[in-house]
Amino acid sequence: MLDKFSLKKKKKEASASNYSKEHIDLSSVPSHIAIIMDGNGRWAKKRGLPRIAGHHEGMKVVRKIVKASNEIGVKALTLYAFSTENWKRPKSEVEYLMRLPEEFLGSFLPELVAENVQVRVMGNKEQLPAHTLRAINKAMNDTKENDGLILNFALNYGSRFEIIEGIKQIIKDTNNGKLSVDDINEELFSEYLMSSDLAEPDLLIRTSGEVRLSNFMLWQLAYAEFWFTEVLWPDFEEKNFYQAIVEYQRRGRRFGGV
Ligand code: IPE
Ligand code: IPE
Ligand code: MG
């Protein structure tokens, strides 16, 4: 780790094109980073390729960013892989996206196991095809004892769905006497969300120039720092990731205080 002076100097020198791990202050790395991985389709279109080629390329970037997160001590990385709205896409694209977890885990699960990564999935699993479910269940099972980086895929995830499901469960638990209305507060409500055992994200990254949440972690992102880049997900590299973290580290988080 660099001393404060050299760290400052390094930060000054850095431009978007040359951020490296050395620019990061390892004592204040965001614990939980959430990423809306966007722009795969446009990446493919620019090259005259089918959209699925962009998704395939994006998968390799996931591997790189998981590695980088692990190296700098990020505790949890949540990746938006498929939204509850993405079913509206052409059938062939949806089918490919539902094959991606198998493809990704088929290639990388042994490495994730070796790197002490714990794989999790949050989303409505009931609607997933059996083959997708098999692949993620195996990954979750094979890595459940790992206590390193939590790699949390948001798959068939929608924040409004999650909130409604949480409310329904709270009402059930109230009706059956497990809860009383006076028990309901922010902390309790968080426990009824799919991310219940994760800290809230500190940093949200969205690629591809879109500046919206697209139904992602509406509750949990209440106080996250947002960082947007024009870079399309398949072009996203470690240096972009480090830049996001350095810029996060320059911000003052006040949480309503002064
Ligand atoms: C993100 O890339 C991946 C998913 C939403 C599954 P897109 O497929 O949304 O790419 P664009 O936004 O069309 O470029
Ligand atoms: C959000 O991206 C979902 C994922 C990245 C999985 P979209 O590309 O689906 O979002 P919109 O439709 O542009 O808002
Ligand atoms: Mg998109």
Side-chain angles (χ1 to χ4, degrees):
M1 211 171 120
L2 294 168
D3 62 67
K4 277 237 150 63
F5 179 75
S6 348
L7 197 65
K8 242 192 187 148
K9 193 158 158 261
K10 276 247 180 221
K11 274 184 188 168
K12 246 193 179 152
E13 287 161 6
S15 75
S17 59
N18 68 358
Y19 277 94
S20 74
K21 228 183 335 192
E22 273 64 52
H23 299 107
I24 293 170
D25 176 355
L26 292 177
S27 68
S28 63
V29 169
S31 294
H32 184 177
I33 300 179
I35 307 184
I36 303 177
M37 311 181 288
D38 200 9
N40 296 351
R42 277 162 283 169
W43 181 92
K45 194 174 176 204
K46 267 194 348 198
R47 287 163 178 74
L49 297 169
R51 292 177 57 84
I52 60 169
H55 298 314
H56 181 80
E57 198 63 24
M59 185 183 79
K60 298 189 216 157
V61 178
V62 170
R63 178 68 193 112
K64 281 199 268 189
I65 298 308
V66 170
K67 234 184 206 146
S69 300
N70 220 352
E71 280 172 15
I72 59 170
V74 173
K75 301 249 180 326
L77 179 67
T78 294
L79 301 177
Y80 205 4
F82 191 91
S83 75
T84 47
E85 288 72 37
N86 287 148
W87 296 103
K88 292 178 199 157
R89 296 185 177 204
K91 194 163 167 268
S92 57
E93 183 174 346
V94 169
E95 269 171 16
Y96 184 75
L97 289 168
M98 287 298 150
R99 289 277 168 203
L100 265 188
E102 279 158 278
E103 208 180 322
F104 175 80
L105 295 164
S107 312
F108 300 127
L109 185 57
E111 292 173 32
L112 298 175
V113 173
E115 287 165 16
N116 197 25
V117 172
Q118 187 186 111
V119 178
R120 296 194 195 174
V121 176
M122 68 172 186
N124 181 0
K125 298 195 184 91
E126 281 168 26
Q127 290 174 332
L128 297 177
H131 61 88
T132 314
L133 208 50
R134 254 198 312 278
I136 62 175
N137 282 339
K138 177 177 167 24
M140 289 193 289
N141 195 53
D142 289 2
T143 62
K144 68 172 187 287
E145 307 294 341
N146 289 355
D147 57 6
L149 174 74
I150 294 170
L151 173 57
N152 182 35
F153 287 103
L155 187 62
N156 195 21
Y157 173 86
S159 190
R160 288 181 171 180
F161 169 80
E162 173 189 43
I163 288 170
I164 297 292
E165 287 303 302
I167 291 172
K168 284 195 211 160
Q169 195 54 49
I170 287 177
I171 292 172
K172 282 183 197 160
D173 287 349
T174 310
N175 287 342
N176 66 27
K178 260 203 223 163
L179 280 181
S180 90
V181 172
D182 294 331
D183 294 330
I184 303 170
N185 56 29
E186 292 178 14
E187 202 185 324
L188 179 117
F189 187 68
S190 302
E191 286 169 22
Y192 281 79
L193 297 176
M194 293 167 177
S195 58
S196 58
D197 47 0
L198 288 177
E200 287 172 8
D202 301 292
L203 170 64
L204 170 80
I205 296 174
R206 183 168 189 155
T207 59
S208 89
E210 306 300 347
V211 186
R212 56 176 170 263
L213 285 176
S214 303
N215 201 12
F216 188 51
M217 300 186 93
L218 303 177
W219 173 274
Q220 298 91 330
L221 290 170
Y223 258 110
E225 295 296 326
F226 288 14
W227 189 83
F228 298 98
T229 175
E230 295 288 326
V231 176
L232 304 174
W233 179 250
D235 289 328
F236 195 76
E237 293 180 46
E238 286 91 342
K239 67 180 184 201
N240 306 111
F241 185 62
Y242 299 139
Q243 183 187 359
I245 296 171
V246 169
E247 291 186 10
Y248 162 88
Q249 292 183 329
R250 286 185 192 141
R251 297 192 190 167
R253 299 184 80 189
R254 286 183 289 280
F255 300 98
V258 285

